[in-house]
Amino acid sequence: KFYSIKADKTSGGQDWSALADNVLCQACYDRFKRRGTLENSGRKFERRCTYSHCDSPTESKYFRQIDGEIKAGGRDWSPLAGHVLCQSCYNRYKDRGTLGRRTAASEKRCHYARCKNPTESKHFYAIDPSSKRGGQDWSPLAGSVLCSACYNRYVLHGTLDPPALRAKAGGPEGGTKSGQRCWYEGCDRPERGKSYQVVDGTSNVGGQDWSSLAGKTLCSACFARYKRRGRLDRPEPVIGDDPERGACSNSACDRQAADMIVVQGGSGQGGQDWSALADKLLCTRCFQRFRTSGTL
């Protein structure tokens, strides 16, 4: 497949004007769309992880030379520009925003005052305040030691309080017993949520800005959707009866899926910047790929 390039083309958020009136093959087109250059970096870098504390710097199936402008995992990769990472170190930075491993605590007791089993845990974690794990702010827990249960709760919810304690601000869980109702008017089951949560406007759970929902009560489904996407409305599936309307906007995709997703430009899913794909149609496979890696 070949592409005739127009000066006003904006695919991939790149400036194509320098290639106006040129014809590119599929491989070169995809390379420019992803990286903004036709240069093929190939495997010119040494296959060795440059992270000084890597346990196996030469033993990896894949190595990646870091482009400081990538957005994978919603992280800032600029400090690692030009470095080479093995797959393990790359995934750790993408997931946690740091190359350092979680530190096993020498003290075997959870510091959370309301922990039910403070000494009974397979693992205990000494908290690194600079960690970005789960998109949370760990600085308030600097120097603390957490058991696995409390650590994982903070990763997922940005708080150490269990659901029953968090629900007290708005009443018991299972809101139908006390007349609790989800504030979002587009909620399918506003009075039948599994649990309800009063939003703390200063929270940064999921890396989202919750200030606009401060004091509002959300059911667990709507809360989880906002945490993932930064908005409460759902992406609407589009049935592909019309071949043109039902085609995936990713030119490198040859799938003709029955269901497509209309991309919301303001979405924050996966910590990615979706603005370049606003109102585009993506098949579920391409949508999930962009959500995970920030690229089609």
Side-chain angles (χ1 to χ4, degrees):
K1 191 172 181 178
F2 292 86
Y3 297 85
S4 179
I5 307 301
K6 295 183 179 180
D8 58 353
K9 191 173 183 62
T10 59
S11 295
Q14 309 296 350
D15 177 9
W16 296 77
S17 59
L19 297 175
D21 300 324
N22 284 286
V23 175
L24 298 180
C25 66
Q26 183 76 60
C28 291
Y29 177 88
D30 290 341
R31 187 181 310 124
F32 193 90
K33 182 178 177 182
R34 289 194 307 269
R35 301 170 49 215
T37 178
L38 292 175
E39 297 285 339
N40 190 346
S41 61
R43 291 287 180 89
K44 297 179 182 179
F45 54 84
E46 182 181 3
R47 290 174 59 81
R48 179 184 180 88
C49 185
T50 56
Y51 175 48
S52 58
H53 297 293
C54 180
D55 293 335
S56 305
T58 60
E59 299 175 9
S60 178
K61 187 174 181 181
Y62 300 106
F63 290 86
R64 298 170 182 257
Q65 187 170 39
I66 304 303
D67 174 356
E69 297 182 358
I70 65 173
K71 304 289 185 182
R75 305 298 177 190
D76 175 13
W77 293 81
S78 57
L80 296 175
H83 285 255
V84 176
L85 297 180
C86 64
Q87 190 67 41
S88 178
C89 291
Y90 175 87
N91 289 339
R92 190 182 313 123
Y93 194 89
K94 184 180 78 169
D95 294 340
R96 300 175 50 213
T98 177
L99 289 173
R101 297 179 182 276
R102 289 194 296 268
T103 306
S106 56
E107 183 182 353
K108 304 299 182 183
R109 183 180 182 84
C110 183
H111 287 187
Y112 176 48
R114 294 190 176 95
C115 181
K116 292 183 177 180
N117 301 293
T119 60
E120 300 176 10
S121 179
K122 188 174 182 179
H123 300 289
F124 290 86
Y125 301 97
I127 303 304
D128 175 3
S130 64
S131 173
K132 302 296 183 182
R133 184 70 190 272
Q136 313 297 355
D137 176 12
W138 293 82
S139 58
L141 298 176
S144 297
V145 173
L146 297 179
C147 65
S148 290
C150 292
Y151 179 86
N152 290 330
R153 189 182 309 123
Y154 198 90
V155 169
L156 295 174
H157 304 292
T159 177
L160 292 174
D161 294 337
L165 198 60
R166 297 198 301 270
K168 284 185 178 180
E173 289 191 10
T176 53
K177 295 181 180 179
S178 61
Q180 238 178 336
R181 180 183 178 88
C182 182
W183 170 83
Y184 175 48
E185 62 181 10
C187 181
D188 293 335
R189 307 179 68 184
E191 297 178 347
R192 298 182 181 180
K194 184 177 180 180
S195 61
Y196 293 83
Q197 186 159 336
V198 178
V199 176
D200 175 0
T202 63
S203 172
N204 65 345
V205 176
Q208 309 297 353
D209 176 9
W210 295 80
S211 59
S212 63
L213 297 174
K216 300 294 190 294
T217 299
L218 296 180
C219 67
S220 55
C222 290
F223 182 90
R225 190 181 314 118
Y226 194 91
K227 177 184 170 183
R228 290 195 307 270
R229 302 177 50 226
R231 58 192 303 156
L232 290 170
D233 58 320
R234 295 181 177 87
E236 299 181 2
V238 178
I239 306 302
D241 294 332
D242 180 346
E244 292 185 359
R245 180 171 171 76
C248 181
S249 296
N250 179 12
S251 60
C253 178
D254 57 0
R255 299 186 72 214
Q256 289 292 326
D259 295 335
M260 293 286 169
I261 294 176
V262 179
V263 175
Q264 305 290 338
S267 173
Q269 285 205 47
Q272 311 298 350
D273 177 8
W274 295 80
S275 57
L277 296 173
D279 300 323
K280 302 289 186 182
L281 294 181
L282 292 180
C283 65
T284 53
R285 180 185 296 175
C286 290
F287 182 86
Q288 292 299 334
R289 185 185 305 119
F290 192 90
R291 182 176 182 274
T292 302
S293 64
T295 179
L296 293 174

